[in-house]
Amino acid sequence: MENAIIKIGIVGGTGYTGVELLRLLAQHPQVEVVAITSRSEAGMSVAELFPNLRGHYDLVFSEPSPDVLTACDVVFFATPHGVAMSMAKELVAAGVKIIDLAADFRIENLQAWSKWYGVEHTCPDMMPQVAYGLPEWFRDDIQKAQIIANPGCYPTSILLAAVPFLKAGLVKTDAIIADGKSGVSGAGRGAKVAMLGAEMSESFKAYGLNGHRHLPEMQEKLQVLNGEPVGLTFVPHLVPMVRGMESTVYMTLENDVSQAELQSVLASAYADEPFVDVMPFGSQPETRMVKGTNMCRLAVYRPEGGQTLVVSSVIDNLVKGAAGQAVQNMNLLCGLPETQGLNQVALMP
């Protein structure tokens, strides 16, 4: 598909990840969005619901018709959990590649998936055709897959921070702590009392303390990449900002390792990665450094020369944590330059 126009369908395009997909794909030179579906907004124009896209799309939301979607090259699912797996077999049989931004295919252990998501998985036979869509560590699998399980936002930020040190054998595997903070857009676009401005503004809280759905996803992928189980404690937090995510990951060093060596390990792991920026020693990543971009910025510390290794990771939860990474995966699936359509500069202030 290197020189062809790629026909894109988006299922469930009325949420924050849907509009972010549309924003990014509007600037992509080799795609055409031919269908965007929404049962609730069928018949409404895209520009009416999302005025920022006025002049970029002459599309209306439609019912999710199999006839339309099977004519696409790639279909993105920006839907609640359970929708993509209900349509996957028919689309893949028609030669369509699927990128699911929900969690239907993220966890290979389907018993664990059912436990955390509360329903039975409806297409276990499709799992051999799935790749986990974190390009920095699963690029070869992505290029050969029919279905991409786009990672969660927290797993993206935390895996990118932790994996280089695990693979280098520098840290203990039994007690990693990940402290994640997300902007309110991570909760979706639906009306919820807890997300009202008067409820979450000027406040800060942890949630999911007894377990979060992203935990088994991270545990599984850490084990795959490390070759053995990894003990992980994960606590997410809601912060009063619209978009952005910072994850602070704490690991215990196995031996005495210099700050320079730690910096070198991280820099070497991502030396050729277009969307991971290992910042100089002493840097302090901020979410505004990546706002609106597909970039993850990382910084590594060894406070007071002790045995605790600290990595700070910032992403835009809607871009590298969702829609941007999905477009990156699409580029890989379709044999396009990986950075195509994703060279935005961060918004400041």
Side-chain angles (χ1 to χ4, degrees):
M1 297 185 190
E2 188 171 347
N3 297 311
I5 296 297
I6 299 162
K7 294 181 178 179
I8 300 295
I10 300 174
V11 180
T14 59
Y16 291 136
T17 54
V19 67
E20 200 71 354
L21 270 174
L22 288 166
R23 180 180 74 89
L24 296 171
L25 293 172
Q27 303 300 315
H28 197 295
Q30 284 191 238
V31 305
E32 178 187 3
V33 179
V34 297
I36 182 163
T37 78
S38 169
R39 295 186 190 280
S40 62
E41 306 297 346
M44 178 182 287
S45 72
V46 167
E48 184 179 354
L49 187 63
F50 299 126
N52 63 316
L53 298 174
R54 181 177 168 81
H56 294 282
Y57 289 98
D58 185 21
L59 277 174
V60 298
F61 291 101
S62 61
E63 296 281 345
S65 162
D67 291 340
V68 173
L69 294 174
T70 53
C72 296
D73 299 307
V74 178
V75 171
F76 294 91
F77 282 85
T79 51
H81 312 307
V83 177
M85 65 183 180
S86 71
M87 303 178 69
K89 290 182 182 179
E90 183 176 4
L91 292 178
V92 170
V96 179
K97 294 183 183 293
I98 292 172
I99 301 176
D100 181 27
L101 284 83
D104 290 10
F105 301 100
R106 288 176 185 166
I107 300 174
E108 293 178 43
N109 182 336
L110 298 184
Q111 286 186 324
W113 187 90
S114 295
K115 172 188 171 183
W116 284 90
Y117 289 91
V119 296
E120 290 299 311
H121 203 280
T122 59
C123 54
D125 53 321
M126 302 299 293
M127 295 304 294
Q129 301 182 63
V130 174
Y132 188 67
L134 189 66
E136 291 76 13
W137 294 106
F138 295 93
R139 184 172 282 109
D140 290 344
D141 294 338
I142 292 166
Q143 291 172 323
K144 297 178 288 188
Q146 291 295 318
I147 301 171
I148 303 299
N150 217 57
C153 46
Y154 283 120
T156 296
S157 65
I158 291 166
L159 292 173
L160 290 174
V163 169
F165 300 103
L166 283 166
K167 291 184 77 67
L170 296 179
V171 296
K172 297 183 183 298
T173 61
D174 59 348
I176 295 175
I177 297 173
D179 178 347
K181 286 81 63 180
S182 176
V184 70
S185 60
R189 194 165 181 256
K192 306 178 186 73
V193 170
M195 300 300 112
L196 294 173
E199 298 289 328
M200 51 75 61
S201 182
E202 300 182 48
S203 185
F204 175 78
K205 68 177 182 180
Y207 63 98
L209 290 163
N210 285 324
H212 186 282
R213 288 172 171 177
H214 286 171
L215 178 62
E217 177 183 342
M218 289 187 280
Q219 289 172 324
E220 182 178 87
K221 304 316 173 190
L222 286 170
Q223 181 171 343
V224 168
L225 291 166
N226 186 55
E228 61 178 294
V230 174
L232 175 67
T233 299
F234 168 55
V235 180
H237 299 76
L238 179 69
V239 296
M241 62 182 182
V242 173
R243 65 162 84 201
M245 174 170 287
E246 194 277 342
S247 294
T248 309
V249 182
Y250 302 87
M251 295 169 276
T252 302
L253 291 167
E254 288 276 16
N255 301 294
D256 189 34
V257 182
S258 70
Q259 173 73 48
E261 185 176 348
L262 295 173
Q263 184 78 18
S264 176
V265 166
L266 195 60
S268 296
Y270 296 122
D272 299 320
E273 294 299 337
F275 297 117
V276 180
D277 175 25
V278 177
M279 300 180 68
F281 171 64
S283 301
Q284 295 183 337
E286 302 176 47
T287 57
R288 65 177 182 162
M289 294 175 175
V290 295
K291 186 175 182 180
T293 78
N294 198 50
M295 186 67 68
C296 173
R297 300 196 195 276
L298 300 170
V300 60
Y301 308 84
R302 187 183 173 190
E304 300 181 343
Q307 289 302 105
T308 301
L309 169 65
V310 181
V311 184
S312 176
S313 171
V314 295
I315 63 172
D316 186 320
N317 58 297
L318 295 178
V319 190
K320 184 59 173 170
Q325 188 147 254
V327 174
Q328 186 179 356
N329 282 317
M330 179 201 72
N331 286 337
L332 286 169
L333 273 179
C334 298
L336 303 177
E338 193 168 334
T339 60
Q340 196 163 69
L342 292 171
N343 290 317
Q344 294 80 11
V345 177
L347 299 169
M348 287 185 68

